[in-house]
Amino acid sequence: MKKYDLLRSGNTIIRVLEVQDGRVLVIDCIKRTMPIWVNMVALELYSECTSGELSEATGVAMVGVDNLDADQRKVMYERYTMIAPILSFVADDGMRSRLIGSAAEEHEVSKQTIRSYLCLYLSYMDVAALAPRRRNDDRQLTQDEKNIRWALNKFFYTTKKQSLMTAYTMMLKGKYCDALGVLAEEYPSYYQFRYFYRKTRNLQNFYISRDGLKNYQRNNRPLTGEGVQEFAPAVGMGMLDATVCDIYLVNDTGSLVGRPILTACVDAYSGLCCGYSLSWEGGVYSLRGLMLNIISDKVDWCQKFGVSIQKEDWDCDMLPAIFVTDMGSEYTSGNFEQIAELGVKVVNLPSYRPELKGLVEKFFDLIQESYKKHLKGKGVIEPDYQERGAHDYRKDACLTMADFEKIILHCIIYYNSQRIVESFPYTEDMITSQVKPYASQIWNWGKSQIGANLISIGKRELMLTLLPRTTGKFSRSGLKVNKLRYHCEGYTEQYLSGGDVTVAYNPEDVTSVWILEDGSYIEFTIIESRYQGKDLTAVQELQESQKVIARDAVRDNLQAQINLAQHIEAIVGSGAGRGDVHMKNIRSTRRREQAKNHRDYMKEGMSHE
């Protein structure tokens, strides 16, 4: 018997660590408890054992250090470093205990962890024993694990968002109860259920299955892209959106009107606000105002509100060649998509993906943060407005739309020309050009670079392009559009030959319509002057009122026709007894009748005065 020998007796395998004066320090390699001293006589029944027998008995196959991966080797050596100072003092119980305590404190683990590593190494006397075992991914699931996975998929990973305990209960009900609903004697515990869930949980599946793919894309997906500049490498991509402002306004008489709608276009490259529209109406109406504002000279526009700016502070009077919008009805309508005729590309983002146009969303946040802190108590809505007992902020309203638009204008000017854009990815050329970190300066620099994608367009052509369209019909009575008649010189042949044509019309004034002919707009004016200057809704109401009056008179008209027929028949009947008609001397008979029925109308007229 010598040091480090393996001895076996039945199911017990021990390793000899020290031999001194008839005593032997041994460790139980199966139980892996701390080494103890025993008399040499107590080991007479033990026989020699091999490392292979030890591996077979413990079910742990030893792997050479060279066969371990980098992570396993790293952990193995870290564990050996913890126990290395203790190995020389394994036979001294007191010193061993003190060293175990010191190692646990130094490496911030428990004493039991140090003891476990020490016993594991002493049992095998091989540093490879300290390496963590590879997970066996090919292991077949037990029936209990299959039942747990079934319950998780059926009850937990669903949009109903059931709790783990509920899923566990439903598993027991479905898999571990008999026909009468009595629970079986053996079943997995809740802790086993929870352990399997935590071990197999995939966060991506968790978020998608319980909250949906759209919510995952918006709130949980990894943000590993380069940012907006990844798909907007140059000036010319405008992001459109609208929001209801967090403030109540009044009219000139002090009556509450409500909350205005702010529509804006923000350049994806520079972050510049290209234009805005502040109105009480949303939809296509606000978009027309936005488009007009984008191509307007901003110095002149600000001057209307008594605000003076420099040209370089807001030098935007052209349309971005690409518009990025969400799935709002105003953007997907045919009216707005007609802007593609000007060379503008409209990109409709998937619904519920506001992060794909994050710059315009952030623009609204920054603008509202700019004015809200200065307008507290002036109708601004605070975060508690939906809570029970919260203050009614409508009572604080005191600003009109004109006042508020001046405030919004100042906020936009600050946003464009004075707010520092800290996160913009500067290039070497921008640093060389000393471009200041303002959206307006980045925009001005970007406009001069290759790739800037802007379109110059006139106001008239832009508005005509955005007008709603319908089909008009030529006839002898003119061009019929929306049940109204229009005329233009030079179209006699079309009036006679007929045919259909595409027509742009203004719902707010029916005085004129424009036909699309070879890419140009030809104006036609209304023939029926009584409708001139009226909007389409008012004209349709007039036409409908006329129809109602005519429908109401139908019964009276029929009755009058019946009465007329009766009178005629009565008169004809009274003359039915006359004899045969004499056909001779018709002219002389006519002269006698003329003389008999002749009346002096002048004499009759004078007699009544």
Side-chain angles (χ1 to χ4, degrees):
M1 180 185 303
K2 59 184 182 296
K3 193 175 182 180
Y4 303 138
D5 279 351
L6 280 175
L7 304 176
R8 181 168 190 168
S9 176
N11 293 328
T12 302
I13 299 177
I14 62 175
R15 183 181 293 277
V16 176
L17 301 178
E18 290 286 347
V19 179
Q20 294 180 1
D21 302 330
R23 293 190 310 160
V24 181
L25 181 65
V26 298
I27 183 171
D28 190 324
C29 297
I30 304 298
K31 297 180 180 179
R32 291 202 286 270
T33 54
M34 292 297 289
I36 58 174
W37 288 97
V38 297
N39 291 324
M40 191 175 295
V41 178
L43 303 180
E44 291 179 353
L45 299 177
Y46 283 78
S47 58
E48 290 189 3
C49 176
T50 64
S51 298
E53 293 181 56
L54 174 61
S55 297
E56 184 179 351
T58 58
V60 178
M62 294 304 297
V63 180
V65 175
D66 295 337
N67 295 325
L68 299 176
D69 59 35
D71 290 336
Q72 288 178 306
R73 286 197 297 272
K74 175 178 178 293
V75 174
M76 175 187 72
Y77 287 123
E78 286 177 350
R79 292 175 177 178
Y80 184 77
T81 300
M82 295 181 189
I83 64 172
I86 309 172
L87 296 177
S88 301
F89 300 94
V90 169
D92 187 341
D93 292 349
M95 179 60 86
R96 184 181 67 199
S97 297
R98 287 194 295 274
L99 291 176
I100 288 174
S102 300
E105 184 177 351
E106 179 183 354
H107 297 284
E108 297 181 351
V109 296
S110 66
K111 294 181 180 180
Q112 184 56 40
T113 298
I114 301 296
R115 295 190 189 100
S116 175
Y117 295 157
L118 179 62
C119 293
L120 183 61
Y121 174 77
L122 294 175
S123 297
Y124 292 94
M125 293 305 294
D126 188 345
V127 69
L130 298 174
R133 302 296 171 219
R134 290 193 184 98
R135 181 176 296 176
N136 185 7
D137 295 331
D138 297 331
R139 183 183 68 84
Q140 296 295 320
L141 296 179
T142 65
Q143 187 58 47
D144 285 343
E145 289 174 331
K146 291 180 180 179
N147 292 340
I148 294 173
R149 185 175 62 184
W150 168 83
L152 288 172
N153 291 336
K154 187 173 180 61
F155 303 108
F156 185 75
Y157 292 119
T158 67
T159 55
K160 294 181 179 179
K161 300 182 181 181
Q162 302 281 15
S163 65
L164 270 179
M165 179 56 76
T166 301
Y168 173 69
T169 305
M170 298 304 291
M171 180 195 71
L172 295 182
K173 174 179 174 294
K175 298 295 184 180
Y176 294 93
C177 290
D178 58 19
L180 299 177
V182 178
L183 187 63
E185 292 293 332
E186 295 185 359
Y187 56 87
S189 68
Y190 174 71
Y191 299 101
Q192 291 173 300
F193 186 88
R194 187 178 63 183
Y195 173 78
F196 183 85
Y197 158 70
R198 290 177 175 174
K199 184 177 67 172
T200 60
R201 180 177 64 175
N202 181 295
L203 283 179
Q204 185 180 35
N205 292 339
F206 172 84
Y207 290 128
I208 294 175
S209 63
R210 290 174 69 88
D211 300 321
L213 178 60
K214 291 179 179 178
N215 183 274
Y216 169 78
Q217 294 281 11
R218 183 171 68 249
N219 298 321
N220 305 115
R221 66 183 179 86
L223 304 176
T224 57
E226 188 178 352
V228 174
Q229 279 72 23
E230 187 173 345
F231 63 92
V235 164
M237 177 179 285
M239 295 182 169
L240 306 183
D241 205 358
T243 190
V244 180
C245 297
D246 292 338
I247 188 171
Y248 288 103
L249 302 180
V250 297
N251 60 13
D252 293 333
T253 63
S255 299
L256 183 69
V257 181
R259 297 165 62 182
I261 298 172
L262 177 61
T263 309
C265 172
V266 175
D267 179 61
Y269 176 78
S270 62
L272 180 92
C273 174
C274 300
Y276 78 98
S277 172
L278 188 67
S279 62
W280 296 115
E281 299 180 50
V284 177
Y285 174 83
S286 63
L287 278 179
R288 289 179 193 152
L290 173 62
M291 295 298 112
L292 271 179
N293 187 260
I294 291 175
I295 64 174
S296 298
D297 184 278
K298 300 305 189 297
V299 175
D300 295 340
W301 175 262
C302 294
Q303 195 63 44
K304 295 178 182 179
F305 297 89
V307 179
S308 178
I309 64 171
Q310 300 298 318
K311 180 72 173 177
E312 60 269 16
D313 292 338
W314 198 355
D315 188 12
C316 177
D317 55 5
M318 292 188 287
L319 284 181
I322 302 175
F323 281 142
V324 179
T325 70
D326 55 24
M327 294 298 287
S329 59
E330 65 268 31
Y331 304 116
T332 56
S333 67
N335 293 355
F336 182 68
E337 291 187 345
Q338 289 164 188
I339 202 170
E341 297 173 5
L342 303 176
V344 176
K345 180 181 179 181
V346 179
V347 178
N348 291 319
L349 297 175
S351 55
Y352 305 105
R353 295 296 305 278
E355 78 284 352
L356 295 181
K357 51 181 179 62
L359 276 178
V360 68
E361 300 286 348
K362 189 61 179 177
F363 166 79
F364 290 135
D365 291 341
L366 294 174
I367 291 298
Q368 300 217 80
E369 287 177 6
S370 298
Y371 72 75
K372 285 175 72 172
K373 57 189 175 184
H374 301 293
L375 296 180
K376 291 183 181 293
K378 306 293 184 182
V380 165
I381 299 173
E382 299 292 348
D384 65 346
Y385 78 102
Q386 288 184 326
E387 296 182 7
R388 185 176 181 182
H391 178 66
D392 188 352
Y393 297 103
R394 294 175 298 179
K395 297 179 180 179
D396 300 334
C398 62
L399 296 176
T400 64
M401 175 68 89
D403 298 330
F404 185 61
E405 185 157 7
K406 291 180 184 178
I407 294 172
I408 287 292
L409 193 56
H410 281 288
C411 291
I412 292 176
I413 293 170
Y414 167 78
Y415 170 88
N416 280 343
S417 60
Q418 289 146 358
R419 181 185 65 93
I420 297 176
V421 184
E422 297 180 351
S423 59
F424 189 86
Y426 267 61
T427 63
E428 293 182 4
D429 291 340
M430 295 180 71
I431 295 174
T432 304
S433 302
Q434 292 293 300
V435 178
K436 294 183 180 180
Y438 305 135
S440 59
Q441 297 297 318
I442 297 172
W443 164 272
N444 295 338
W445 180 85
K447 285 201 307 179
S448 64
Q449 303 303 305
I450 297 175
N453 200 359
L454 299 171
I455 298 175
S456 179
I457 192 73
K459 292 184 178 181
R460 181 180 184 275
E461 186 178 359
L462 176 61
M463 285 298 98
L464 289 175
T465 303
L466 291 177
L467 285 178
R469 296 176 183 176
T470 187
T471 300
K473 184 179 289 293
F474 283 112
S475 68
R476 288 183 60 197
S477 57
L479 174 64
K480 290 187 176 180
V481 181
N482 296 325
K483 300 181 181 179
L484 298 173
R485 297 164 53 233
Y486 293 86
H487 170 65
C488 179
E489 295 293 337
Y491 283 82
T492 302
E493 190 65 28
Q494 286 85 343
Y495 296 147
L496 296 177
S497 60
D500 295 339
V501 65
T502 301
V503 179
Y505 66 94
N506 182 8
E508 298 172 10
D509 188 354
V510 299
T511 303
S512 298
V513 295
W514 297 263
I515 68 169
L516 275 70
E517 191 174 83
D518 298 329
S520 60
Y521 294 87
I522 310 301
E523 184 176 3
F524 279 63
T525 56
I526 196 164
I527 296 174
E528 299 155 298
S529 59
R530 67 182 183 277
Y531 295 136
Q532 199 163 17
K534 291 183 170 56
D535 63 69
L536 183 59
T537 303
V539 171
Q540 291 174 341
E541 289 177 353
L542 285 174
Q543 293 175 336
E544 184 62 30
S545 299
Q546 182 176 344
K547 290 180 181 179
V548 171
I549 293 173
R551 283 197 298 268
D552 292 342
V554 168
R555 180 181 178 84
D556 294 338
N557 176 261
L558 291 175
Q559 185 62 55
Q561 292 183 38
I562 294 171
N563 294 340
L564 175 61
Q566 290 175 344
H567 291 313
I568 293 173
E569 290 174 356
I571 294 171
V572 172
S574 63
R578 296 185 179 92
D580 295 335
V581 177
H582 300 288
M583 303 294 292
K584 296 180 179 180
N585 303 320
I586 295 176
R587 292 182 179 179
S588 59
T589 302
R590 184 180 180 87
R591 285 195 294 269
R592 285 195 300 272
E593 290 299 319
Q594 286 177 345
K596 183 170 61 175
N597 291 293
H598 184 77
R599 296 165 60 185
D600 186 353
Y601 290 117
M602 186 65 185
K603 184 178 180 179
E604 290 181 9
M606 297 297 289
S607 64
H608 288 295
E609 292 184 358

